[in-house]
Amino acid sequence: MQRIMDVKLPNLGEGADSGTVVNVLVKEGDKVEKDQPLIELENEKAVASIPSSASGVVSKIFVKSGDKISIGARLVSLDVGGGSGARDTTPVAKPAKQAPVPPPASAPEPEPMEEPAAEPVEELAEPGAIDNSEVAASPSIRNMANDLGIDLRRVKGTARGGRIIISDVRAYIQRLIKLARQPKPASVRPETPARRAPEQIDFSKWGEITRKPMTPLRKVISHRMLENWNTIPHVTQFDEADVSELLELRRKYVSVYEKKGARLTLTSFILKAAVIVLKKHAIFNASLDELNGEIIYKEYYHIGIAVDTEAGLMVPVIRDVDKKDLLQLSKDIEELARKARDRKVTAEELKGGTFTISNQGGIGGSFFTPIVNKPEVAILGLGKGSLKPVARNNMIEPRMMLPIGLSYDHRLIDGGTAARFTVDLIQAIENFNENEVKV
């Protein structure tokens, strides 16, 4: 017996409600099992497989590569009753037609929607202008309220008999702060200049051109880079680290790591050195809670590694860097980089970073200014090392010097703090403990 059901796009997770179809993995007539991938969907910077919710035969496909679809969109129809996959063609009785309802002579114009009024902000009085002598509270609280201009009659007491205690006053003040931060209604909001629309330029009048649409990934990168640059006051601290000894350590142990199925790279060493310095300078592992005006200090160390892919820049995150040895970190770097280049990295693997490292040394170039990956507050950029004459022990020696650039959010981090972080990072790199490399 035939029974047709539609497989629809399920909930994609927090903050995601749509995506672009990259590949359709089945065709009409294919037999599929439950949880078998039907399509590959690109959402933000990740590509995920969308599985079938049932077993059956594909009778119809509703999507194709390049389609942008939202939650609830039909992907395929399945014959789950063991039939050929064609829909039931039994005619269905049509409902009797209803007489058309004539339109009104003139449709009323829709009434303009009023913007909801913001809750009024209670103002504080001048110090000493409020008489709180009759309010149920201790003398110290009444005196404090009088000094601050707080009318305790507006404060809800939570102690026995409605008596006001210090936590009630604190909650009242926090409420005033929250109300003060509410956006003002449009009627009282100062006029702001409209954002200038992009200018349309006809480049073809000067010569031959080719147009290519931006990929969904490139649109995401473009949007986020613009947001990060416009909302974070960037400063970049430059310096150089002597990695001559570090490269000797790498040459000494690279074959050992290969036998263990890992590729020992400079990034592996920098990850280990960075987490040591992040523990010493906690502000670089923090985030700014702009809504509440607070600094969030994180007790975990999840470091993002920027990966250059054919589709664009991706930053998968290595979890708990402080809890892993160099061997495991080397394996994690290689695995996440491969998944990013194959577009197999998941959305969850792109989230939760506390600090980012971008290593362009394999490509070339020297110093550059990386853009902070919001909501992080700092990012470390590494260039290509080069041999330079360096004065050591009253002698000039050729040393391999690594250019580094530390970009940071100047709202939380000052120049002196960044300089101290950089000095400590260089020391951690130049004095890397060989015991950390041994397996």
Side-chain angles (χ1 to χ4, degrees):
M1 180 179 176
Q2 238 174 29
R3 187 161 66 89
I4 301 297
M5 69 166 287
D6 289 333
V7 178
K8 299 181 180 180
L9 184 64
N11 194 321
L12 300 173
E14 182 181 355
D17 58 5
S18 64
T20 301
V21 179
V22 177
N23 288 311
V24 179
L25 305 176
V26 295
K27 60 182 183 296
E28 292 182 7
D30 283 356
K31 184 176 181 179
V32 298
E33 301 296 331
K34 184 179 179 182
D35 297 328
Q36 178 179 333
L38 298 176
I39 67 169
E40 287 183 334
L41 189 75
E42 182 179 56
N43 175 257
E44 294 187 345
K45 290 188 175 183
V47 174
S49 298
I50 305 300
S52 175
S53 55
S55 299
V57 177
V58 178
S59 61
K60 190 172 180 60
I61 298 175
F62 298 99
V63 296
K64 63 182 182 300
S65 296
D67 285 354
K68 185 171 183 179
I69 56 177
S70 302
I71 294 173
R74 290 192 298 174
L75 305 179
V76 302
S77 284
L78 292 181
D79 176 4
V80 296
S84 63
R87 287 184 176 273
D88 192 348
T89 56
T90 305
V92 179
K94 296 182 180 180
K97 290 185 178 180
Q98 295 182 351
V101 180
S106 59
E109 293 185 3
E111 296 183 3
M113 294 181 63
E114 295 184 0
E115 184 172 328
E119 189 175 348
V121 178
E122 300 172 12
E123 296 182 355
L124 300 179
E126 291 293 328
I130 297 294
D131 182 11
N132 289 313
S133 59
E134 303 298 324
V135 180
S138 67
S140 61
I141 290 180
R142 287 201 296 267
N143 291 337
M144 179 187 67
N146 290 338
D147 291 340
L148 295 176
I150 296 175
D151 187 350
L152 289 179
R153 291 170 297 182
R154 295 180 176 179
V155 180
K156 182 180 179 181
T158 58
R160 179 176 294 182
R163 187 176 181 82
I164 296 171
I165 56 179
I166 188 65
S167 60
D168 300 328
V169 179
R170 185 182 298 112
Y172 176 76
I173 293 174
Q174 289 175 345
R175 176 174 170 271
L176 292 184
I177 294 173
K178 183 177 179 181
L179 291 175
R181 288 176 176 162
Q182 285 184 348
K184 296 180 180 179
S187 57
V188 297
R189 199 176 295 149
E191 291 186 6
T192 56
R195 184 179 176 182
R196 184 178 178 182
E199 182 182 358
Q200 184 67 46
I201 302 175
D202 182 12
F203 295 99
S204 62
K205 65 183 180 182
W206 294 297
E208 194 172 323
I209 64 170
T210 301
R211 285 184 175 270
K212 293 180 67 175
M214 291 177 69
T215 64
L217 174 59
R218 177 50 59 186
K219 288 180 181 179
V220 171
I221 296 173
S222 175
H223 171 76
R224 289 192 176 174
M225 289 298 178
L226 181 63
E227 179 187 6
N228 292 344
W229 184 255
N230 286 336
T231 58
I232 297 175
H234 281 68
V235 180
T236 304
Q237 178 83 20
F238 297 108
D239 213 321
E240 289 181 307
D242 186 344
V243 293
S244 305
E245 308 294 342
L246 206 61
L247 293 178
E248 283 297 326
L249 274 178
R250 179 185 178 276
R251 279 190 284 270
K252 182 177 179 180
Y253 288 95
V254 65
S255 60
V256 177
Y257 275 63
E258 286 177 354
K259 291 176 182 177
K260 297 285 185 179
R263 183 167 170 260
L264 184 60
T265 65
L266 185 64
T267 304
S268 307
F269 290 97
I270 302 299
L271 264 176
K272 203 68 177 176
V275 78
I276 294 172
V277 184
L278 287 172
K279 286 187 172 183
K280 184 177 180 180
H281 300 273
I283 191 66
F284 288 85
N285 200 58
S287 285
L288 174 62
D289 184 343
E290 299 178 63
L291 186 61
N292 295 305
E294 296 176 339
I295 301 173
I296 309 297
Y297 289 94
K298 301 158 195 169
E299 304 297 330
Y300 52 90
Y301 300 87
H302 301 341
I303 298 183
I305 300 296
V307 180
D308 178 45
T309 75
E310 291 183 359
L313 179 68
M314 303 184 77
V315 188
V317 177
I318 298 178
R319 311 283 177 187
D320 300 316
V321 173
D322 59 318
K323 300 176 182 178
K324 297 177 178 178
D325 58 23
L326 207 62
L327 178 63
Q328 187 59 53
L329 289 177
S330 300
K331 290 180 178 179
D332 288 352
I333 293 170
E334 189 171 5
E335 179 186 2
L336 283 178
R338 176 183 52 77
K339 291 175 71 174
R341 294 188 181 101
D342 294 342
R343 302 302 307 280
K344 300 298 183 183
V345 67
T346 67
E348 189 59 29
E349 289 171 324
L350 297 170
K351 297 177 181 178
T354 61
F355 186 81
T356 295
I357 296 175
S358 178
N359 188 352
Q360 295 185 357
I363 302 173
S366 182
F367 295 100
F368 67 102
T369 56
I371 296 178
V372 176
N373 190 18
K374 194 176 181 179
E376 298 168 20
V377 296
I379 179 173
L380 179 66
L382 307 175
K384 182 180 180 180
S386 59
L387 275 175
K388 291 186 177 182
V390 176
R392 297 177 80 238
N393 301 320
N394 296 323
M395 296 181 62
I396 301 298
E397 298 180 16
R399 306 292 292 181
M400 184 64 71
M401 304 302 293
L402 176 71
I404 64 175
L406 176 74
S407 292
Y408 56 91
D409 187 337
H410 209 350
R411 293 174 300 176
L412 290 189
I413 300 169
D414 296 325
T417 307
R420 283 186 282 272
F421 180 94
T422 305
V423 168
D424 288 342
L425 178 63
I426 291 174
Q427 289 181 352
I429 294 172
E430 294 181 348
N431 300 290
F432 201 91
N433 189 343
E434 185 173 355
N435 290 328
E436 296 282 358
V437 196
K438 295 177 179 178
V439 293

